[in-house]
Amino acid sequence: MSQPIGIVGEISSPTEVDVKALVPIPSGTYIYLRFKVRSPPTYEESEREVVGIIGSCIYRSVVPVLTTPNLPLYERATYLSDLKSESLMRAIIIADVSSGRAESPRYPPPPETPIYLAQLEHLKVLYGYDLGSSIELGSLVGFEDLRVRVNVNSLAKHLLITGTTGSGKSNLVAVLADRIAQIGGSVVIFDVHGEYVNLESTDPKNVNVLVYDAAINPIETPISLLVNFIIPEAAASKQRRLLRNALKNLNDDIRQKALEGRKPYKLVIYEESRNVYSNDEGVSDVVEVYKELLKERLRNEGSKSKEKSVTDVEDKVDDFFEWHRISLEARKVSELLSNGRIVVVDVSTFTDEEKDYMLKVIVEDLLWYLKEGSKRTGNFTAIPTLLVVEEAHLFLGGGATTKSKEALQRYIREGRKFGGMLAIVSQRPRALDINVVSQVQSYAFLKLVQNHDKSTVMELTDVLSDEYVNILPTLSPGHAILMGEWIGKYPAYVKIDVHSGKKVGATPNITKIWREGLERVAKSLERQSLIGEWEG
């Protein structure tokens, strides 16, 4: 056993102890304590061994520091350097490992109990899952040989990943998605900023990464949702009725003819366009053709009901098709799912309103797909899928009502019964709807600095104590506190593996890029000068 690094202070409980030391022990350091206790009814003496982690830490002078403004600067510095000091800390007791297996701590370590740095053999009994249901995410901080695994089955009760910008959230998502796909899982990443469009698996033989350029398909999108998106004004009920009837009639005809003739929508639309265009003015853009067919149906609906607002609806349809990404061949995300596949839904060029709309469509599609896959026998014919929602505070905010919020709430409530898993990713936990996120049972906390964010995550979970919160501002990029069902009973301070296949998302070395560009300009000018001299 090495030398003690501190002792237990005046206050001690089975789960937290005060620590005294001559020098500060860094937050996040794993510690080991061994002490003797007497338990009723026999009061025989027994030895206990526990492991813990340092939370908060302060440095203070034992002798009061005097303010001596008239003392010369060099004398004042000498005076202060001669004072003795001590460090006061609070440690969380994680588990009792006396029996060689992890148990809940039940005895408070006595004051003045020596505290040691924890060793590998003290900690390896805390973390580990059946290899068939778990994946590795990284190593315990300070113990590179102790790999930390998480239980994938527990993600059915969903996951929250939160941390400041640059703390390593997207790297954690990439590692999580890749490792899940490597065991045959299916992952959908709702990519708000285009961070995953160049994602490459570290196991390309077994994992396929598919980038899905999200677009609105007016034939497949639920009509009520599409109508409200094209005509959002609450008072425009007559206009919405006209548009709803026109869309329903047109889409029903297209689907029926495509089914009867076993033709793609595109071909049916071109055939229908003969009723709109003369033979010598064909249009090659199928979206433009569909729009004109829709406007023709609108005029028919308007003439039947003698409505005068058809022109206004046509203008809104024109605006919608002009300013939104429309595709009549866009497949549903559920049709792209496969074992060992990561589907990256790229919505980076969408407006916030379009992202919200598209997320609602995807969530409802996935939930329907999963429900249908287990409706009859309870056996899953659908592939259980993890949906990762980046920038989740945009869609699950506490103050605003978004189109996707209700769909996400249903997915959280109902999805786990059918293999639907949700990972909520946000750098602003204070903006999340607590009523929604409180249903999550697994957590990855990366660096958090703002007090409001720290107090919010304490509200979100009943497993995050004050001392764990005190560790969060000290976390290095890529370090995380894993808690909840996916890690088991005992939280872990983990260095997440770096995903080598994630090419976008890290902060660029801007000055290096500038210098390299300057060198290229200089070389180009030098070549031009040499060419000029040669020609001269």
Side-chain angles (χ1 to χ4, degrees):
M1 184 67 67
S2 59
Q3 292 295 316
I5 58 173
I7 60 172
V8 175
E10 288 81 6
I11 300 175
S12 173
S13 76
T15 56
E16 289 188 3
V17 297
D18 285 345
V19 177
K20 286 188 175 183
L22 294 177
V23 295
I25 305 171
S27 294
T29 301
Y30 281 95
I31 58 174
Y32 167 80
L33 294 80
R34 185 174 61 196
F35 54 93
K36 293 182 178 180
V37 298
R38 293 180 181 273
S39 304
T42 63
Y43 292 96
E44 291 183 3
E45 191 174 66
S46 63
E47 189 170 71
R48 312 305 303 179
E49 298 176 75
V50 298
V51 292
I53 188 170
I54 296 294
S56 56
C57 177
I58 64 171
Y59 217 173
R60 75 170 188 180
S61 172
V62 174
V63 180
V65 177
L66 303 177
T67 55
T68 53
N70 297 324
L71 199 64
L73 181 60
Y74 70 91
E75 292 184 16
R76 193 185 318 160
T78 303
Y79 171 72
L80 291 175
S81 65
D82 289 338
L83 291 177
K84 294 183 179 179
S85 59
E86 67 176 356
S87 181
L88 302 178
M89 288 146 285
R90 176 64 63 89
I92 308 157
I93 303 301
I94 298 174
D96 188 315
V97 295
S98 306
S99 60
R101 64 178 185 273
E103 300 175 341
S104 297
R106 296 186 298 142
Y107 301 95
E112 300 187 10
T113 297
I115 296 173
Y116 303 89
L117 290 175
Q119 303 299 311
L120 181 61
E121 61 267 21
H122 303 140
L123 295 166
K124 62 184 180 182
V125 298
L126 270 66
Y127 309 108
Y129 278 106
D130 172 49
L131 296 179
S133 63
S134 66
I135 56 172
E136 290 184 354
L137 285 187
S139 301
L140 204 68
V141 172
F143 301 88
E144 294 296 325
D145 294 332
L146 182 47
R147 302 290 291 166
V148 177
R149 306 183 71 88
V150 293
N151 187 351
V152 176
N153 289 336
S154 294
L155 293 180
K157 295 185 180 179
H158 314 302
L159 169 67
L160 170 66
I161 300 174
T162 185
T164 59
T165 301
S167 60
K169 297 186 301 298
S170 59
N171 176 72
L172 173 53
V173 168
V175 172
L176 179 65
D178 200 8
R179 302 277 166 82
I180 287 177
Q182 287 175 25
I183 62 171
S186 169
V187 182
V188 175
I189 302 177
F190 192 73
D191 189 2
V192 171
H193 296 305
E195 290 189 68
Y196 304 91
V197 292
N198 294 317
L199 181 66
E200 298 175 2
S201 173
T202 56
D203 185 15
K205 291 183 179 179
N206 297 309
V207 175
N208 171 240
V209 181
L210 176 65
V211 177
Y212 173 76
D213 291 324
I216 298 169
N217 187 335
I219 298 178
E220 297 292 348
T221 302
I223 288 179
S224 59
L225 185 64
L226 188 59
V227 167
N228 287 328
F229 197 68
I230 296 174
I231 308 176
E233 297 87 351
S237 57
K238 290 183 179 180
Q239 293 184 12
R240 281 201 295 272
R241 178 175 52 78
L242 277 173
L243 180 58
R244 184 181 297 108
N245 291 339
L247 275 169
K248 185 177 186 307
N249 292 336
L250 176 60
N251 289 349
D252 285 350
D253 284 350
I254 292 173
R255 289 195 197 96
Q256 183 178 355
K257 291 176 181 178
L259 183 63
E260 291 174 351
R262 297 184 178 180
K263 301 173 183 178
Y265 291 153
K266 184 175 182 179
L267 182 57
V268 173
I269 289 169
Y270 280 134
E271 291 176 349
E272 287 291 300
S273 69
R274 295 169 186 163
N275 299 324
V276 179
Y277 300 103
S278 61
N279 293 333
D280 58 347
E281 61 169 342
V283 177
S284 59
D285 185 353
V286 68
V287 173
E288 185 68 20
V289 175
Y290 177 88
K291 183 184 75 172
E292 294 303 321
L293 290 175
L294 177 58
K295 290 165 69 174
E296 180 69 19
R297 296 294 178 109
L298 274 170
R299 288 189 285 270
N300 292 338
E301 287 294 324
S303 63
K304 285 190 295 184
S305 57
K306 299 181 181 181
E307 289 289 349
K308 299 179 181 180
S309 55
V310 172
T311 303
D312 293 336
V313 180
E314 287 187 74
D315 290 341
K316 291 174 182 178
V317 168
D318 284 333
D319 289 341
F320 175 75
F321 277 81
E322 181 178 357
W323 296 108
H324 296 80
R325 187 189 294 175
I326 310 296
S327 172
L328 297 171
E329 299 172 289
R331 300 172 65 188
K332 295 179 180 178
V333 170
S334 61
E335 296 174 357
L336 307 175
L337 303 181
S338 176
N339 293 106
R341 173 172 288 177
I342 302 171
V343 179
V344 178
V345 181
D346 180 18
V347 293
S348 56
T349 61
F350 280 30
T351 65
D352 285 349
E353 186 180 20
E354 290 174 319
K355 291 170 183 174
D356 181 29
Y357 167 89
M358 185 55 60
L359 181 56
K360 177 180 176 66
V361 171
I362 291 171
V363 171
E364 291 182 341
D365 170 45
L366 287 177
L367 187 56
W368 180 89
Y369 160 80
L370 292 166
K371 283 184 173 182
E372 287 296 306
S374 60
K375 180 187 289 185
R376 296 177 181 173
T377 63
N379 296 322
F380 285 93
T381 57
I383 303 171
T385 298
L386 172 67
L387 171 62
V388 180
V389 179
E390 285 275 356
E391 301 287 356
H393 52 273
L394 296 176
F395 316 107
L396 287 173
T401 300
T402 62
K403 294 181 176 68
S404 58
K405 188 173 183 179
E406 182 181 354
L408 286 166
Q409 288 175 311
R410 286 188 61 214
Y411 194 89
I412 290 174
R413 290 194 310 268
E414 304 174 22
R416 69 180 184 87
K417 306 172 188 176
F418 309 101
M421 300 165 280
L422 179 67
I424 299 169
V425 185
S426 175
Q427 73 268 27
R428 296 178 59 196
R430 64 187 181 278
L432 294 170
D433 189 322
I434 293 178
N435 295 323
V436 176
V437 185
S438 60
Q439 299 176 65
V440 173
Q441 298 298 316
S442 294
Y443 312 91
F445 297 109
L446 293 95
K447 183 174 184 176
L448 286 174
V449 177
Q450 292 193 9
N451 290 330
H452 196 175
D453 283 332
K454 292 187 290 182
S455 61
T456 299
V457 294
M458 286 192 68
E459 286 186 70
L460 293 176
T461 168
D462 56 1
V463 297
L464 191 66
S465 68
D466 287 331
E467 294 312 314
Y468 280 113
V469 169
N470 291 332
I471 297 175
L472 298 182
T474 71
L475 298 183
S476 301
H479 288 195
I481 301 290
L482 306 184
M483 309 185 84
E485 292 200 10
W486 72 330
I487 191 66
K489 194 174 182 179
Y490 307 106
Y493 180 25
V494 180
K495 180 181 179 182
I496 305 298
D497 292 338
V498 176
H499 194 283
S500 59
K502 187 176 181 298
K503 310 299 183 184
V504 181
T507 303
N509 188 333
I510 295 173
T511 54
K512 181 182 178 182
I513 296 171
W514 282 342
R515 290 191 180 101
E516 290 175 348
L518 196 61
E519 289 175 4
R520 287 193 297 271
V521 171
K523 289 179 180 178
S524 176
L525 292 173
E526 184 179 354
R527 283 196 301 271
Q528 292 177 15
S529 177
L530 290 173
I531 292 171
E533 292 178 5
W534 179 77
E535 289 178 344

